[in-house]
């Protein structure tokens, strides 16, 4: 990967992203349960629900069944890519912050997530539905971001509406 490729990927994630390919399928999935969705997607979603039951101290399966969009998966990937590109020297710190503050944050606000938990559910749902990865490590990390810890974290101190 190089700077140009990274910037193209960030543009794609913010202008089209996985949501363009998967949102309709996700909505159909939500409307009909597991009917009409691939066996692989069904297995991924059932695994997510089992992982939430076991490890999701800050979530319930119902939170995921009420999720309406997988778009936070694209937002988080774009912000992560901006941070990684800065670390690798492809972007100046100022450029990475501009992407996060001027491109990602306005799109997050536009989606009108009510709080970080709803945003995290969209991210995890998107990760599971679009990517099909095991979610335990991300669930545990997200529990920490949302839950009570001795040291207050950004998600606990700053409401999503403050973006």
């Amino acid at each position: 990967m190089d700077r140009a490729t990274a910037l193209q990927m960030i543009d794609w994630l913010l202008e089209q992203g996985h949501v363009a390919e998967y949102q309709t399928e996700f909505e159909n999935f939500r409307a009909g349960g597991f009917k009409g969705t691939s066996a692989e997607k069904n297995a991924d979603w059932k695994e997510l629900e089992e992982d939430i039951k076991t490890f999701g101290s800050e979530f319930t399966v119902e939170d995921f069944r009420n999720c309406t969009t997988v778009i936070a998966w694209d937002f988080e990937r774009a912000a992560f890519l901006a941070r990684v590109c800065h670390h690798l020297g492809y972007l100046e710190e100022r450029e990475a912050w501009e992407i996060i503050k001027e491109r990602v944050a306005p799109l997050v606000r536009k989606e009108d997530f009510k709080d970080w938990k709803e945003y995290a559910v969209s991210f995890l749902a998107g990760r599971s539905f679009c990517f099909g990865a095991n979610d335990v490590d991300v669930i545990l990390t997200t529990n920490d971001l949302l839950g009570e810890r001795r040291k207050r974290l950004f998600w606990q101190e700053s409401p999503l509406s403050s973006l």
Side-chain angles (χ1 to χ4, degrees):
M1 180 177 289
D2 59 16
R3 176 187 169 86
T5 305
L7 290 172
Q8 286 175 341
M9 177 59 83
I10 290 169
D11 288 345
W12 179 80
L13 285 165
L14 297 176
E15 294 167 9
Q16 296 173 340
H18 292 95
V19 74
E21 180 179 350
Y22 291 102
Q23 184 63 35
T24 300
E25 183 180 0
F26 182 69
E27 290 169 3
N28 292 339
F29 168 76
R30 285 187 65 243
F34 297 111
K35 298 174 188 156
T37 306
S38 72
E40 184 179 344
K41 292 250 183 284
N42 288 336
D44 291 341
W45 194 262
K46 286 182 180 182
E47 181 180 356
L48 173 64
E49 287 189 350
E50 288 305 312
D51 290 345
I52 291 300
K53 289 176 189 173
T54 306
F55 302 104
S57 64
E58 300 299 318
F59 305 104
T60 66
V61 169
E62 199 62 28
D63 292 328
F64 288 85
R65 291 184 181 160
N66 291 330
C67 179
T68 60
T69 183
V70 294
I71 200 163
W73 170 240
D74 291 330
F75 296 158
E76 277 305 299
R77 290 190 66 220
F80 176 76
L81 190 54
R83 292 189 308 271
V84 168
C85 286
H86 166 62
H87 178 74
L88 293 173
Y90 298 154
L91 296 174
E92 297 294 323
E93 182 177 5
R94 171 193 53 76
E95 294 173 301
W97 276 115
E98 284 174 3
I99 290 168
I100 293 167
K101 290 168 43 177
E102 296 175 17
R103 296 193 62 207
V104 177
L107 293 172
V108 172
R109 283 193 301 271
K110 182 179 172 188
E111 286 300 315
D112 202 28
F113 293 102
K114 70 179 182 187
D115 55 26
W116 284 112
K117 180 178 177 178
E118 189 174 86
Y119 180 80
V121 167
S122 173
F123 167 75
L124 286 165
R127 186 175 193 270
S128 179
F129 200 80
C130 303
F131 187 57
N134 182 295
D135 299 296
V136 173
D137 57 336
V138 180
I139 292 168
L140 293 172
T141 300
T142 308
N143 285 339
D144 287 346
L145 288 168
L146 292 169
E148 295 299 320
R149 292 174 47 135
R150 284 182 284 143
K151 182 179 177 186
R152 299 296 288 171
L153 297 171
F154 177 80
W155 279 17
Q156 296 163 334
E157 293 178 348
S158 302
L160 187 65
S161 61
S162 71
L163 286 180

